[in-house]
C-alpha cells in the first residue's frame, strides 16, 4: 500500500519559516520523484517543487530561492523548508509522486497540511 503523509503546516507571520514533512512508502520513495504541490482557495493545485531519487531538484518560479526541498533516505521522508513566507503562500500543501506505469498519473491525493501566512 502506497502512503504519502504530509505534516508540519501551521500559522506563521509573513517573513517566517516552516518545514513540511512527507512520509513516503519505502518502495515509492526509492524509485519515484516526490513532489510538493499547493492549492489556495479558489485556485488550481500547482506544483511547488520536486526531487528525484538522486536528489535533483526543481522549483516553481514563485518559490525559487525561498523554499528548499530535500530528502532523508534513512527516514523515507521528503521535506519542504519554507523561508521568507508571504501571505500568497497560504494554501493546503500536498506531497505526491507520479506512478511509474502508464498512464503515469499521481497516486491518490492525501488530506494535505494547511499553511497560513498572516500579514
Amino acid at each position: 500500500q502506497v502512503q504519502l503523509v504530509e505534516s508540519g503546516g501551521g500559522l506563521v507571520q509573513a517573513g517566517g519559516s516552516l518545514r513540511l514533512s512527507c512520509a513516503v512508502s519505502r518502495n515509492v520513495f526509492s524509485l519515484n520523484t516526490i513532489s510538493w504541490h499547493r492549492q489556495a482557495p479558489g485556485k488550481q493545485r500547482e506544483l511547488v517543487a520536486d526531487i528525484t531519487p538522486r536528489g535533483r531538484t526543481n522549483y516553481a518560479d514563485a518559490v525559487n530561492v525561498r523554499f528548499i526541498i530535500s530528502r532523508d533516505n534513512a527516514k523515507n521522508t521528503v521535506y519542504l523548508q519554507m523561508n521568507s513566507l508571504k501571505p500568497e503562500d497560504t494554501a493546503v500543501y500536498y506531497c505526491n509522486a507520479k506512478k511509474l506505469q502508464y498512464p503515469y498519473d499521481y497516486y491518490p491525493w492525501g488530506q494535505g497540511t494547511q499553511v497560513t501566512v498572516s500579514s
Side-chain angles (χ1 to χ4, degrees):
Q1 184 177 1
V2 174
Q3 289 189 325
L4 298 110
V5 181
E6 308 93 344
S7 62
L11 173 63
V12 64
Q13 288 188 334
S17 298
L18 278 176
R19 189 179 79 159
L20 306 183
S21 299
C22 174
V24 186
S25 300
R26 183 174 182 178
N27 56 331
V28 174
F29 182 86
S30 62
L31 297 176
N32 296 58
T33 293
I34 308 298
S35 53
W36 281 100
H37 307 252
R38 66 186 181 186
Q39 187 167 21
K43 295 188 176 181
Q44 288 190 335
R45 187 175 290 149
E46 62 178 356
L47 176 68
V48 174
D50 58 39
I51 186 166
T52 69
R54 291 192 175 187
R56 180 175 295 181
T57 59
N58 173 60
Y59 297 93
D61 289 343
V63 307
N64 198 20
V65 177
R66 298 188 298 121
F67 289 11
I68 302 171
I69 189 170
S70 62
R71 55 193 292 144
D72 185 331
N73 294 334
K75 297 182 178 180
N76 294 337
T77 300
V78 172
Y79 301 101
L80 186 67
Q81 177 67 43
M82 305 186 296
N83 302 317
S84 302
L85 282 162
K86 305 175 181 179
E88 51 263 46
D89 294 318
T90 295
V92 179
Y93 284 71
Y94 303 87
C95 65
N96 211 326
K98 282 191 177 179
K99 299 174 186 175
L100 298 179
Q101 297 83 28
Y102 182 84
Y104 310 109
D105 53 341
Y106 286 104
Y107 289 99
W109 295 90
Q111 293 189 344
T113 186
Q114 175 71 47
V115 171
T116 303
V117 184
S118 62
S119 56

